Amino acid sequence: MWAKENLEEDVLPSSEVSRYLEKVSTTREKEQDDYKKHLPQCTHIVQAIGFKKNEVPVLTKGGKDLQTEFDPLTGGFRDKEGEEVRGLYGAGIAWPNKVTDPEGNIEYAVGLAKFMSFLKEVVPKWKS
C-alpha cells in the first residue's frame, strides 16, 4: 500500500518520498552503465526481503469451492484433481517462475527482468 501511495508514476512527483528518491530508468543494454553512473552517489542500500503473500480469495466453480495449486512453470493453476483452471493465471513476486540453472540448482525467479522474461514466455500460451 505504501508503495502505491508514494512510488507510482503519477504520485511520486508530489510525494514526500521524491525528496529522497530519484527514479532511474534503465534497460538491459544500459544497465551496467547506469549502475556505474548512479551507484557511486548512493550512501545506502535497501534489501527488500520478507514478502508476505495475501490469502487468495475463495474461488468457486460450479457452485463449489475451488482449491487450486499454482504451476510455477506455466503461470497457470490446477484444481485438486490436476485439471487446468482456464483463465486463472499468476506471475510476479507472489507467483514466481521456477527455474533450474545449468548446474541443476532450482530457484524461484523474482525480480523485474526475470518477471518480464517469464511473461514473454508464458502469456502467449494463456487461454481464457
Side-chain angles (χ1 to χ4, degrees):
M1 187 65 145
W2 180 88
K4 282 187 175 273
E5 293 172 355
N6 292 280
L7 301 178
E8 292 289 329
E9 191 84 32
D10 57 335
V11 296
L12 178 61
S14 61
S15 168
E16 171 120 358
V17 173
S18 67
R19 292 183 4 191
Y20 309 98
L21 179 75
E22 175 188 357
K23 183 175 180 177
V24 176
S25 296
T26 189
T27 62
R28 191 177 290 240
E29 295 79 27
K30 288 183 49 197
E31 187 174 32
Q32 293 302 314
D33 292 337
D34 290 327
Y35 288 159
K36 288 175 186 170
K37 178 181 176 184
H38 294 281
L39 283 181
Q41 302 167 48
C42 292
T43 59
H44 294 77
I45 296 175
V46 176
Q47 181 179 9
I49 59 172
F51 170 78
K52 182 179 175 196
K53 185 173 14 178
N54 291 339
E55 289 294 319
V56 176
V58 175
L59 303 172
T60 60
K61 182 177 179 182
K64 295 182 180 180
D65 285 357
L66 185 62
Q67 297 173 357
T68 60
E69 184 174 316
F70 178 66
D71 181 343
L73 301 177
T74 67
F77 288 81
R78 300 199 175 279
D79 64 19
K80 64 182 178 182
E81 282 81 35
E83 292 287 320
E84 174 188 9
V85 180
R86 287 180 60 107
L88 181 61
Y89 301 97
I93 195 167
W95 310 107
N97 175 237
K98 182 178 175 182
V99 295
T100 305
D101 70 17
E103 287 82 35
N105 300 307
I106 296 173
E107 73 173 14
Y108 287 92
V110 295
L112 184 59
K114 294 174 183 180
F115 167 70
M116 295 305 294
S117 176
F118 180 51
L119 287 180
K120 287 178 184 176
E121 177 187 336
V122 296
V123 169
K125 301 171 190 167
W126 289 356
K127 304 175 189 114
S128 59

